[in-house]
Amino acid sequence: MPDTAPEGPDGLVYGGDYNPEQWPEEVWQEDVRLMREAGVTLVSLGIFSWALLEPEPGRHDFGWLDRIIALLYENGIRIDLATPTVAPPAWFYRAHPDALPVSRDGMRHAFGSRGAICHSSPAYRAAAAAITEKIAERYGGHPALALWHVHNEYGVPVSACYCDTCAAHFRRWLRTTYGTLDAVNAAWGTAFWGQRYGSFEEIQPPRTTPTTGNPAQRLDYARFADATMRENFVRERDILHRLSPGVPVTTNFMTALSQCDTVDYWAWGREVDLVSNDHYLITDGRRTHVNLAMAADLTRSVAGGAPWLLLEHSTSGVSWQPRNPAKAPGQLARNSLAHVARGSEGAMFFQWRQSRRGAEKFHSAMVPHAGTDSRVWREVVRLGADLTSLAPLRGTRTVAEAAVLWDWQSWWAQRLEWRPSEDHDARERADSFYEALYDRHLTVDFAHPEADLARYPLVVVPALYLATEAAGDNLRRYVEGGGTLVVSYFSGIVDEHDAVHPGPHPGAFRDVLGLTVEEFSPLGEGEKVRIAAADGEELTGDVWTEFVVPRGAETVWTYVDGLTAERPAVTRHRLGRGTAWYLSTRLDAASLGTILGAAAEDAGLPPRDSLPRDVEVVRRSGESGSYVFALNHTGTDAKVPLPADGIELLTGERAAGGLALPAGAVRVVRLDG
């Protein structure tokens, strides 16, 4: 994986999805003129263009694409060229209707949307490889080409298909994964409910059953579906590597937990040459800038800490939520630069010119329906100039102080049926723990449970229902080596096959936490419990309680009421040179902040009380220097302390003795030295 994103003329990348095929060619000249005015350096082309590039089977028309690439290149704009395999043409589905995916209920989806693909279909795989080869042969050496863009947003809207072709493919995957039928039966626990298989041919996808099916089979099918999409990506990637050597290959991820839940991005991050991401604000009443920061941190972590690229976000409102508000003045730049602060090597949008037709005609764009005499356009032009000012940042890396453990496969397993409480939500816990760390002004990496954690003074585990023995050993070594660990309830419970670890809960984490759990005791809807410290301080929990038995851990907070009254609620275990905290109930925001504050003190992370809430401070550092990003998401001016004096890059002003940060503004200081 390269250390940097594709380089535009001004260093950082700026631009967006460009769909010239939606417009008469006379508009193209105007588009390119405006791109130059805005400072655009890169555009994504051809993502949904298969039907135009191959209007009939085997007949190709590249003339329009030749002309637009030449026009862009003549004007200093490079391209992120897509393989259009997310949207096969109507003629393809007419010839191969079985390439349309089938739901668990047996309904075959129809043509007319996007991403309606059975990824196991031999016909789809052959056609996708063929069009990829044709495009790579034609453009693989073009000087305008900066980046290859395979497919589009894998996993959205369909990841798993349940057709007979997939059934056969699933059986082949099981043979490769497990080797023998006995191993499959053992992993799935098929002795339960008489589900034992006598031959591989008896195994079907986990289609709809009268009651809940086999959870281990469901989990493996999620893995299979993800691996099948990834096989198709790798096939296209390898064609591009062969025919266009030296040009990085990506596909646009959707790492935000609010946007895609069917892709194991830890696995995908190892396959791309450059990690790129799409992010859209979810207007569900939450603090959208926190979700943005979380998605950016997660994307950077999938990239192994290397710089990545924001390949899509919106200039203002989107079109696909129940309510789609406009962004406030200044928010376009603030959102964009928040991604840059957390490692992106630029900012790209969907899309360049707002569509007049189709499902996304009300989705905002760089050139809105209102045209260039509009607030959005003026902000687009200003952002292009700002990114030019930030060119020295290229190649630097974001500095993190804590880690959150996250595993998509654990999330898949936890969401299956018949768990102790439907109110426990892994995404909610991840969001809440991240928000509490954000409010302590800590920059966070995400990490796989088996990753090396030694560089982090604080590691948080908000929801890790599925945890391997290797993960448990990893956390024990981390704490023994001096780390501070915080683990939330219902973590460490099952192994990779969704089988409960032998012995008492919390299974893989018993030793590091120094306790056992005799029994879960989920709470009723709306029910709350109080927990108290020895000094009388009380906190509030809901959703979940447990009967905790310390086995070396000390009790820090105790349940005051409920079935678990007078039993431990929050514990602290000193192990080796470190400390492991355990939270056996779901704490509200204030209470969670209290616990994490105590853990941060154990970790030697001092509070940053001088920073107001929703004023975000992030550092990037590298050979070119050290940079402090300060982003004010509030309506009040703020003062931000700096570790050293420096030059503010967006205004050119000297920052000495601290930084004045106006309401809604972004400032980036290059520190002296």
Side-chain angles (χ1 to χ4, degrees):
M1 183 184 301
D3 283 345
T4 58
E7 187 169 356
D10 296 316
L12 295 182
V13 168
Y14 188 46
D17 283 25
Y18 184 33
N19 298 288
E21 64 270 31
Q22 297 180 15
W23 301 93
E25 289 201 26
E26 55 264 28
V27 176
W28 298 1
Q29 293 286 344
E30 175 71 359
D31 279 335
V32 171
R33 184 186 69 79
L34 292 175
M35 288 178 189
R36 289 173 62 103
E37 181 180 334
V40 166
T41 61
L42 183 74
V43 295
S44 301
L45 283 177
I47 296 171
F48 299 104
S49 302
W50 193 344
L52 293 179
L53 296 173
E54 190 176 9
E56 297 175 5
R59 181 173 73 82
H60 299 91
D61 178 5
F62 293 109
W64 68 272
L65 189 54
D66 290 346
R67 293 191 295 277
I68 191 61
I69 290 175
L71 179 62
L72 290 164
Y73 183 60
E74 289 165 5
N75 284 273
I77 300 165
R78 303 188 72 190
I79 60 168
D80 164 34
L81 186 57
T83 64
T85 51
V86 70
W91 60 254
F92 171 80
Y93 287 119
R94 184 180 181 189
H96 305 286
D98 56 350
L100 288 162
V102 174
S103 70
R104 284 191 73 206
D105 295 330
M107 180 193 76
R108 189 175 293 278
H109 293 279
F111 172 78
S113 179
R114 65 172 188 175
I117 296 165
C118 167
H119 282 275
S120 294
S121 165
Y124 170 75
R125 291 181 167 209
I131 189 64
T132 298
E133 286 199 2
K134 287 291 184 182
I135 293 172
E137 287 169 351
R138 191 171 190 91
Y139 302 109
H142 199 292
L145 183 63
L147 182 65
W148 284 108
H149 181 308
V150 171
H151 203 268
N152 185 72
E153 296 179 345
Y154 280 98
V156 178
V158 177
S159 60
C161 172
Y162 295 82
C163 71
D164 289 340
T165 300
C166 288
H169 190 187
F170 183 45
R171 290 189 284 269
R172 294 193 299 273
W173 182 85
L174 290 171
R175 287 180 186 273
T176 300
T177 302
Y178 288 100
T180 68
L181 188 64
D182 285 345
V184 174
N185 279 312
W188 290 1
T190 56
F192 184 79
W193 279 2
Q195 296 172 356
R196 186 169 185 82
Y197 294 102
S199 76
F200 276 102
E201 296 309 308
E202 295 170 359
I203 298 175
Q204 299 293 331
R207 296 169 176 139
T208 302
T209 50
T211 186
T212 188
N214 187 312
Q217 182 187 17
R218 292 277 305 277
L219 177 58
D220 264 349
Y221 203 76
R223 290 168 171 148
F224 158 75
D226 178 58
T228 301
M229 292 188 294
R230 199 161 58 250
E231 284 176 12
N232 287 347
F233 166 78
V234 167
R235 182 177 290 105
E236 293 186 40
R237 180 204 65 192
D238 289 350
I239 291 169
L240 298 172
H241 280 170
R242 173 169 54 85
L243 297 175
S244 184
V247 179
V249 180
T250 192
T251 184
N252 44 339
F253 295 167
M254 299 189 75
T255 62
L257 307 186
S258 53
Q259 292 179 207
C260 184
D261 58 4
T262 59
V263 174
D264 181 355
Y265 286 115
W266 294 126
W268 283 77
R270 295 189 291 268
E271 300 293 350
V272 297
D273 298 327
L274 170 75
V275 167
S276 63
N277 194 54
D278 297 351
H279 182 265
Y280 294 98
L281 301 182
I282 303 299
T283 53
D284 58 359
R286 307 186 195 200
R287 297 154 73 199
T288 56
H289 55 279
V290 179
N291 176 274
L292 185 159
M294 182 177 177
D297 283 345
L298 189 48
T299 306
R300 183 187 66 254
S301 302
V302 167
W308 54 279
L309 181 59
L310 175 65
L311 207 54
E312 286 185 26
H313 71 314
S314 66
T315 57
S316 194
V318 298
S319 59
W320 37 265
Q321 298 184 78
R323 286 159 292 279
N324 298 289
K327 289 186 176 180
Q331 190 177 358
L332 182 158
R334 195 167 64 250
N335 287 168
S336 300
L337 296 178
H339 286 286
V340 174
R342 294 176 185 272
S344 178
E345 294 283 65
M348 303 273 284
F349 293 94
F350 180 85
Q351 58 180 320
W352 165 252
R353 183 179 286 274
Q354 197 165 13
S355 298
R356 290 187 57 223
R357 297 174 176 85
E360 293 186 289
K361 56 182 170 288
F362 299 118
H363 190 297
S364 60
M366 298 174 79
V367 181
H369 292 310
T372 56
D373 187 14
S374 63
R375 174 178 66 87
V376 165
W377 173 251
R378 287 186 285 273
E379 292 192 21
V380 163
V381 173
R382 175 63 185 272
L383 177 60
D386 285 348
L387 287 171
T388 300
S389 300
L390 299 181
L393 280 158
R394 187 179 177 81
T396 60
R397 297 194 175 207
T398 301
V399 179
E401 301 133 311
V404 173
L405 296 196
W406 180 256
D407 182 24
W408 278 273
Q409 295 191 23
S410 175
W411 191 19
W412 300 342
Q414 185 185 300
R415 292 186 309 170
L416 296 173
E417 299 93 343
W418 290 13
R419 300 311 188 220
S421 173
E422 66 178 15
D423 296 326
H424 173 49
D425 179 349
R427 179 197 156 191
E428 182 279 329
R429 282 294 79 191
D431 286 346
S432 295
F433 272 76
Y434 182 90
E435 189 167 1
L437 294 168
Y438 180 97
D439 284 342
R440 290 192 64 80
H441 302 284
L442 294 172
T443 303
V444 169
D445 280 344
F446 285 79
H448 187 274
E450 297 177 19
D452 182 6
L453 304 171
R455 66 184 178 277
Y456 301 109
L458 176 65
V459 171
V460 169
V461 183
L464 198 63
Y465 161 75
L466 183 157
T468 62
E469 288 186 14
D473 292 342
N474 189 42
L475 294 190
R476 188 188 69 251
R477 288 192 300 271
Y478 166 74
V479 173
E480 288 175 338
T484 300
L485 178 70
V486 181
V487 178
S488 186
Y489 65 89
F490 206 46
S491 294
I493 306 303
V494 300
D495 66 13
E496 61 269 32
H497 303 300
D498 197 45
V500 173
H501 285 287
H505 304 312
F509 298 157
R510 278 194 304 263
D511 292 344
V512 68
L513 295 174
L515 56 83
T516 58
V517 173
E518 289 184 348
E519 191 175 2
F520 306 134
S521 184
L523 300 177
E525 184 176 3
E527 188 178 357
K528 297 183 183 296
V529 292
R530 293 174 296 146
I531 65 175
D535 62 4
E537 181 181 11
E538 286 197 358
L539 307 177
T540 302
D542 65 1
V543 170
W544 193 277
T545 61
E546 294 177 343
F547 291 90
V548 173
V549 179
R551 310 283 185 184
E554 61 176 305
T555 300
V556 185
W557 267 269
T558 303
Y559 287 108
V560 174
D561 46 22
L563 288 179
T564 54
E566 300 183 6
R567 304 290 291 265
V570 176
T571 62
R572 183 171 179 263
H573 185 216
R574 299 179 187 273
L575 182 65
R577 294 187 289 112
T579 304
W581 291 75
Y582 184 61
L583 287 60
S584 68
T585 185
R586 190 179 83 163
L587 297 174
D588 62 25
S591 299
L592 183 57
T594 297
I595 301 295
L596 288 179
E601 185 176 345
D602 277 352
L605 294 171
R608 292 169 179 166
D609 299 333
S610 61
L611 286 173
R613 189 173 191 253
D614 293 326
V615 170
E616 183 176 335
V617 177
V618 184
R619 289 187 67 173
R620 284 183 64 159
S621 186
E623 291 184 3
S624 67
S626 186
Y627 304 83
V628 172
F629 280 75
L631 304 97
N632 190 344
H633 300 285
T634 79
T636 304
D637 294 351
K639 184 79 170 178
V640 175
L642 294 172
D645 296 342
I647 295 294
E648 203 289 303
L649 297 180
L650 300 180
T651 64
E653 297 174 356
R654 184 82 184 157
L659 177 66
L661 186 61
V666 180
R667 295 290 183 264
V668 184
V669 177
R670 181 174 182 169
L671 300 176
D672 295 340

